[in-house]
Amino acid sequence: MLFLVRMDVHIPHEMPAERAAEIKAREKAYAQALQHDGRWRHLWRVVGEYANYSVFDVAGNDELHELLSQLPLFPCMTLQVTPLAQHPSAIA
């Protein structure tokens, strides 16, 4: 199943810079591992915001929830999840 996920990140201002850098490094490694295994199909930055749109290809709701909740930045995120279906006019 395909899901479009918007992730808005809100790192607390009181978080020490070193801690934030460590979390961001773990987030990058985790995101890249999921991209390499094909479950995180697309990752697009939202210009001018600390946010992204991503497309996940997973078995279902439970797998997506598990992947998202394991993101190191998950406690600092607001997420919007939209299930996707093939459009009848799409050529691909």
Side-chain angles (χ1 to χ4, degrees):
M1 294 180 67
L2 295 178
F3 294 90
L4 176 68
V5 180
R6 179 178 168 118
M7 301 179 203
D8 290 274
V9 181
H10 313 282
I11 296 177
H13 295 292
E14 64 273 5
M15 182 180 289
E18 308 80 37
R19 176 77 175 131
E22 182 269 327
I23 293 170
K24 289 176 189 178
R26 287 191 296 119
E27 180 88 8
K28 182 177 182 177
Y30 181 65
Q32 289 180 345
L34 293 174
Q35 289 172 74
H36 284 297
D37 76 17
R39 292 183 286 174
W40 197 325
R41 300 258 309 257
H42 298 279
L43 175 55
W44 296 96
R45 175 181 293 175
V46 178
V47 175
E49 300 179 37
Y50 196 169
N52 72 74
Y53 280 102
S54 295
V55 176
F56 288 85
D57 189 357
V58 294
N61 297 332
D62 292 334
E63 183 180 1
L64 180 65
H65 180 77
E66 183 69 23
L67 294 180
L68 294 175
S69 65
Q70 290 182 32
L71 288 165
L73 284 170
F74 180 77
C76 303
M77 290 182 173
T78 301
L79 303 171
Q80 293 178 311
V81 177
T82 305
L84 301 174
Q86 183 71 37
H87 193 285
S89 298
I91 59 171

